[in-house]
Amino acid sequence: MIFENLKMSWMNIIHHKMRSFLTILGIVIGVASIIALITIVKGATGEVTEQMSSLGADKVTVQVQGTAFKQGLLNSDIKELEGLNHVSGVSPTLSGKSSIVYSKNVMEEISIQGKNQVHFRKTEDLVEAGRAINKLDIENKNKVVLIGAGIVKELFWGKDPIGEKMQIGGVNFQIIGTLQESDSYSNESTNETVIMPYTTAMRFLETKSISNADIYMDDSKYSEAVTSGVERVVHQAFNYKDEGYSIMNMGDMISSINEITSMMTLMLGGIASISLVVGGIGIMNMMLVSVTERTAEIGLRKALGAEPKRIQQQFLFESVFLSLFGGLIGLLAGVVIAFLVCSIMGTSFSLSASTVLLAVGFSAGIGILFGFAPARKASRLHPIDALRSN
């Protein structure tokens, strides 16, 4: 009997092709919207999270604005930060501008950065050729540098710069390495940058203070403890005045971004679900019309002994068929839309099973929910009244 009901439901849908298509259109739009929006948002937010993670979820950054009495961190402060529990290394940074000269060719306003060996150990694929700054360079304040790809092209075209000497601000430095070419439009571009040991940079830039430091943890699970330790050291260094510096925990920022994106995904899914509700109302409307059109048929079946639950089952199957077909078409449409948009945006395309189950399950639920009332109405028709209505 169930098979017969399924067959009759299917035949009725096929018999009214255009009406059936218009009925499931709301379901198609709703499911396609859920699939496309959630997938696109996940791809975009995943890209943002990945970029944030590449900056270091395992580090705490101290940025110094300075006060009237203290302009930045001292070497003694860096040593104290290195001594904190669960700290695997501290990378101080000094920045400035200067002109560079090689073989009478000059480049003006080049970024000069002071770094240490920790920066190169923690930053992957930074060195193109040659070697990085090491601990001996820091201790001996060696006059050695690594130069960016833009400088190599400008001053050393067709020539290996490693081992060559160049003047920076009138002082001779030996080139020990070159940096990987980076995106020219990025704020983090190193193409026009010279990196030297930070102890050498302190002397070269004529400063005793450090404006920025990255504190790396041996495990990000100790983030809270390390951040508290860093705050204690820096707060003490600035005589308990917190207006001279700021501390940023990258792990906390990534967690906050993940929370915000999860809320956005739920919100967009909820908005798209409104289309499914509208589609469900369309199914209910069609099923009520179908009950009215087939009143005589229902009366005849009941007069021949059909049980009310069999009548109800047939109409319920019909509404579920409509919603499931709409869900499957919407799923395909949503996947295609999401793939095209992700390709245009340059973000990763990843369709999760939970998203598919949510969309298709919701559409099936809509069919049952909005198909129940018309099915119940059909099953409760009195056979004599139904036959008279013809």
Side-chain angles (χ1 to χ4, degrees), residues 162-201:
I162 297 174
E164 297 291 325
K165 289 189 176 181
M166 64 188 303
Q167 284 191 338
I168 305 175
V171 180
N172 286 324
F173 283 82
Q174 185 177 28
I175 301 169
I176 59 170
T178 59
L179 303 173
Q180 287 273 9
E181 186 171 6
S182 56
D183 184 357
S184 300
Y185 300 101
S186 170
N187 291 330
E188 301 296 324
S189 174
T190 57
N191 292 338
E192 308 291 329
T193 298
V194 171
I195 298 180
M196 63 180 65
Y198 86 93
T199 49
T200 307

Side-chain angles (χ1 to χ4, degrees), residues 255-328:
S255 297
S256 298
I257 289 173
N258 287 334
E259 289 178 8
I260 292 170
T261 53
S262 295
M263 290 176 61
M264 286 179 59
T265 301
L266 288 173
M267 182 181 69
L268 289 172
I271 293 171
S273 298
I274 295 174
S275 299
L276 284 176
V277 176
V278 173
I281 294 171
I283 288 177
M284 178 184 281
N285 182 57
M286 175 188 168
M287 295 307 299
L288 287 172
V289 171
S290 182
V291 170
T292 303
E293 289 179 346
R294 296 159 64 188
T295 300
E297 175 196 331
I298 295 167
L300 182 59
R301 288 188 64 190
K302 296 192 76 172
L304 293 173
E307 297 178 3
K309 66 178 182 180
R310 301 299 180 188
I311 303 292
Q312 180 173 327
Q313 189 180 71
Q314 178 189 341
F315 282 89
L316 199 56
F317 281 160
E318 195 169 321
S319 65
V320 172
F321 270 144
L322 288 169
S323 60
L324 281 177
F325 283 134
L328 292 173

Side-chain angles (χ1 to χ4, degrees), residues 1-15 294 297 301 310-311 314-315 317-318 321:
M1 183 60 73
I2 292 178
F3 179 75
E4 289 297 323
N5 279 338
L6 286 171
K7 184 177 179 181
M8 292 176 67
S9 299
W10 173 249
M11 292 305 295
N12 188 60
I13 292 173
I14 294 297
H15 186 66
R294 296 159 64 188
E297 175 196 331
R301 288 188 64 190
R310 301 299 180 188
I311 303 292
Q314 178 189 341
F315 282 89
F317 281 160
E318 195 169 321
F321 270 144

Side-chain angles (χ1 to χ4, degrees), residues 1 133 138 156 167 169 181 203 231 238 254 270 319 322 360:
M1 183 60 73
I133 290 169
I138 302 298
F156 298 91
Q167 284 191 338
E181 186 171 6
R203 178 185 295 177
E231 287 176 347
F238 280 86
I254 292 171
S319 65
L322 288 169
V360 177

Side-chain angles (χ1 to χ4, degrees), residues 15-41:
H15 186 66
H16 302 93
K17 294 184 182 67
M18 182 55 69
R19 188 168 71 180
S20 298
F21 173 74
L22 293 175
T23 300
I24 68 174
L25 194 56
I27 300 293
V28 172
I29 294 171
V31 172
S33 299
I34 291 177
I35 296 290
L37 286 174
I38 292 179
T39 303
I40 292 168
V41 169

Side-chain angles (χ1 to χ4, degrees), residues 64-74 76-77 209 234 236-239 244:
V64 179
Q65 293 81 41
T67 65
F69 300 101
K70 188 167 185 175
Q71 296 301 310
L73 297 172
L74 303 177
S76 57
D77 299 324
S209 59
V234 178
Q236 183 179 358
F238 280 86
N239 297 317

